[in-house]
Amino acid sequence: MTQGLDGLGERLADYKRKREFAKWRAVYTISATTPSALAIRANAEGLASYAALCQAHGIVPIVEPEILIDGDHTIEQCAVASENVLHALFHSLFKHKVKLEYIVLKPSMVISGKKCATQATTEVVAKQTISILRRTVPAAVPTINFLSGGQSPEAATANLNAMNQLPGNPWNISYSYARALQDYCMKTWQGETKNVASAQNIFLERSRLNSLASVGKYTKELEKEKSTA
């Protein structure tokens, strides 16, 4: 489980002078025996305690329960783990009196493990993810900003787009990607000053595609236009 609650209140008092948001990440693996009930419960309590402390100091908590994409698990196994994790998380947030209107949820998508023989399609990922979210995440949560979790930039964008094309979502559904935004940019830059402008353009273009996906207006043809531009 993620640790670090000791002295967090004092640190937050200092952080408040420097920033408005904080993030706490808890990681879960999928195997025949994990995530265990103990790990789910302990991390839910840690995330909820952190969120309550943040709100007490006027800081918006980004709550990040990440189910790792590593492994050979099926999307169905990921759905079960995701539902258990999110159910426990929101139960703990309620117990700690966290105001859901003032959090950012940063979960992983419901997706097949990297080594799974059968990789779920974009449409299945979107439907499975939204289905689990509707079962577990109250409509009071204003925004769900997904992590990319090791997906390719194209897959992360396409999956986000497909979720935003499903009707009736009560939350804003957007992205908080790291690797899926930075991967091509960093590979282009390579620490060389001469590559800075090209790397910046690639980063800007990837951001534009994800912004389109966050309102359901991305298409795969835009990737082709980018590659031939």
Side-chain angles (χ1 to χ4, degrees):
M1 64 170 290
T2 303
Q3 299 181 352
L5 287 172
D6 292 347
L8 180 59
E10 291 79 6
R11 298 198 303 276
L12 286 169
D14 180 56
Y15 297 159
K16 176 58 180 172
R17 295 193 291 269
K18 304 173 183 176
R19 56 184 63 86
E20 300 297 327
F21 292 83
K23 182 167 77 76
W24 185 284
R25 175 174 175 257
V27 176
Y28 309 81
T29 58
I30 297 179
S31 70
T33 56
T34 59
S36 67
L38 177 59
I40 290 173
R41 185 169 63 250
N43 274 315
E45 283 294 300
L47 286 164
S49 297
Y50 140 82
L53 281 167
C54 282
Q55 290 189 347
H57 287 84
I59 292 176
V60 177
I62 300 172
V63 180
E64 183 177 0
E66 179 180 3
I67 297 176
L68 296 177
I69 197 173
D70 303 321
D72 59 359
H73 55 271
T74 64
I75 191 171
E76 290 79 13
Q77 288 173 291
C78 186
V80 171
S82 298
E83 185 168 0
N84 290 337
V85 164
L86 289 170
H87 177 77
L89 171 60
F90 280 94
H91 180 64
S92 291
L93 289 169
F94 174 78
K95 288 193 301 179
H96 285 265
K97 297 181 170 54
V98 173
K99 294 179 176 63
L100 299 183
E101 292 85 352
Y102 305 110
I103 73 168
V104 175
L105 179 65
K106 184 179 177 179
S108 45
M109 298 178 191
V110 177
I111 198 167
S112 313
K114 281 184 177 180
K115 297 180 181 178
C116 182
T118 302
Q119 293 292 312
T121 64
T122 297
E123 291 72 21
V124 171
V125 169
K127 289 178 180 177
Q128 286 271 29
T129 303
I130 293 298
S131 175
I132 295 304
L133 293 175
R134 287 176 178 169
R135 293 178 191 173
T136 55
V137 180
V141 174
T143 184
I144 299 174
N145 292 51
F146 285 97
L147 56 90
S148 53
Q151 299 178 66
S152 70
E154 293 84 357
T157 304
N159 289 335
L160 176 66
N161 185 73
M163 281 186 271
N164 276 296
Q165 290 184 334
L166 295 174
N169 296 322
W171 331 271
N172 175 65
I173 297 178
S174 190
Y175 62 98
S176 181
Y177 296 161
R179 193 183 315 171
L181 276 178
Q182 300 168 5
D183 189 31
Y184 295 154
C185 168
M186 297 296 287
K187 287 176 179 177
T188 300
W189 174 45
Q190 296 182 338
E192 298 287 342
T193 302
K194 64 181 180 180
N195 297 329
V196 167
S198 296
Q200 288 175 333
N201 288 334
I202 287 172
F203 184 83
L204 181 62
E205 178 62 15
R206 195 76 243 162
S207 299
R208 185 182 74 86
L209 294 177
N210 279 294
S211 294
L212 289 171
S214 69
V215 290
K217 294 183 178 180
Y218 162 86
T219 64
K220 290 184 178 180
E221 285 68 31
L222 293 172
E223 297 282 357
K224 296 176 183 177
E225 291 174 11
K226 172 177 65 66
S227 64
T228 56

